[in-house]
Amino acid sequence: SDWSSDVCSSDLSELGPDLVQFEFTHTAGLRDSAAGVPAILVEHDITYGLHRQLAETGTDRESWREYERWLAFEKRWLSEYDAVWTVCEADRREAIETGWRRPDRTFNVPNGVDIRRFTPAEQPCAPFDILFVGSFRHLPNVRAFETLRSDIMPLVWARFPQAVLRVVAGPRHEWFWKRNGGRNSASALDPRIQMLGFVEDLRPLYAEAAVVVAPLVVSAGTNIKILEAMACGKAIVSTQPGCSGLELADNADLLIRDGAGPFAAAGCELL
């Protein structure tokens, strides 16, 4: 926000805090604004790891340059904090191995969801309803949706033509879709795809869904939507990146399938 930018552009130590917590990798470079004050950096994901995946799946040199910039940035700033907090054990290990020299000051505080709020619904689901939740503000979600609509759903529709795909794409999803390289527009989508923007309460959508899908090709941190769907007792198909960091078991907690064919087959099996 403008307020936080104004505060961080000055000396935070003037406010007299005992501790400053910096949220997200992008704020790590503001550490100097709290010079002399203990500070924690919360790494919601290892950002250079995400950009490494994007570079490996892309074909342009700029993706690799972006990865190298993030790698240098995180290596530089991780060591400046009194403690680093990650959201999964894999990220904690990565932070220790790449630049952060104090394992005893690097903590894993796993993400979770409120299981009193997210609970299995009493009413039956819609039998052919497929749900994907992922804000288009985040590039991996746009790529996941492109794979879902272009490669996976045609295979599902070949067996279940009545299946409906509901997509919770977040606020300003069409703008972010275009900015992140999305193809076509919402008006050109198959009519069996229902695009939703920001949804304040996802529980009714989880209740209706027969299957929840997370077809991410690249990902970082942990996918809270997987945890929400599990808390709601839903059948889930995910790629390995889609559920990374959660230490879930294939064929027990959910179905983990990579590639359009196996992913679609798993979805059909659950339907």
Side-chain angles (χ1 to χ4, degrees):
S1 67
D2 293 338
W3 177 84
S4 62
S5 298
D6 291 341
V7 170
C8 288
S9 64
S10 62
D11 186 354
L12 279 172
S13 61
E14 295 176 358
L15 301 177
D18 297 310
L19 177 70
V20 180
Q21 179 170 310
F22 290 83
E23 290 284 329
F24 297 101
T25 310
H26 301 68
T27 68
L30 299 173
R31 176 66 178 97
D32 291 343
S33 66
V37 181
I40 294 174
L41 174 65
V42 181
E43 289 269 87
H44 291 263
D45 59 49
I46 302 297
T47 307
Y48 75 78
L50 174 61
H51 285 277
R52 180 178 58 209
Q53 295 174 60
L54 290 169
E56 289 171 347
T57 59
T59 57
D60 60 299
R61 292 178 177 270
E62 181 56 32
S63 294
W64 283 105
R65 285 193 288 267
E66 186 72 0
Y67 155 66
E68 290 167 357
R69 284 192 289 265
W70 277 111
L71 177 61
F73 180 83
E74 283 183 275
K75 276 183 142 182
R76 159 74 174 84
W77 287 107
L78 282 175
S79 60
E80 296 293 328
Y81 283 82
D82 299 278
V84 171
W85 162 359
T86 66
V87 299
C88 65
E89 183 59 31
D91 282 0
R92 178 180 180 271
R93 292 193 298 267
E94 183 81 14
I96 293 170
E97 293 168 1
T98 311
W100 180 244
R101 307 302 182 189
R102 293 285 301 275
D104 61 318
R105 293 289 185 91
T106 308
F107 304 97
N108 171 30
V109 183
N111 279 326
V113 298
D114 185 350
I115 58 172
R116 293 168 298 182
R117 173 177 170 81
F118 291 95
T119 59
E122 294 182 2
Q123 73 269 24
C125 65
F128 299 103
D129 192 291
I130 299 171
L131 177 65
F132 171 56
V133 178
S135 171
F136 283 7
R137 183 189 298 269
H138 191 44
L139 174 59
N141 289 330
V142 173
R143 292 198 173 183
F145 172 68
E146 293 287 2
T147 299
L148 184 59
R149 76 179 186 95
S150 299
D151 303 327
I152 296 172
M153 288 308 300
L155 298 176
V156 174
W157 284 323
R159 183 172 172 186
F160 297 103
Q162 70 274 52
V164 174
L165 172 64
R166 302 188 199 281
V167 180
V168 181
R172 301 175 63 202
H173 59 278
E174 289 205 21
W175 188 87
F176 283 111
W177 187 6
K178 292 177 182 177
R179 190 192 77 166
N180 286 321
R183 300 188 297 273
N184 304 119
S185 65
S187 60
L189 293 176
D190 188 289
R192 292 168 289 188
I193 297 177
Q194 180 183 357
M195 294 292 292
L196 304 172
F198 172 73
V199 176
E200 184 173 357
D201 188 354
L202 289 170
R203 289 175 296 175
L205 290 173
Y206 283 125
E208 290 182 10
V211 179
V212 175
V213 295
L216 285 89
V217 180
V218 297
S219 186
T222 55
N223 189 344
I224 294 178
K225 300 303 182 289
I226 292 280
L227 298 179
E228 290 177 352
M230 292 178 68
C232 291
K234 307 312 296 186
I236 306 167
V237 187
S238 175
T239 57
Q240 188 64 54
C243 60
S244 64
L246 295 175
E247 301 182 12
L248 301 177
D250 181 27
N251 295 318
D253 300 309
L254 75 174
L255 299 184
I256 302 175
R257 303 289 186 272
D258 292 306
F263 196 100
C268 289
E269 177 185 346
L270 292 178
L271 289 177

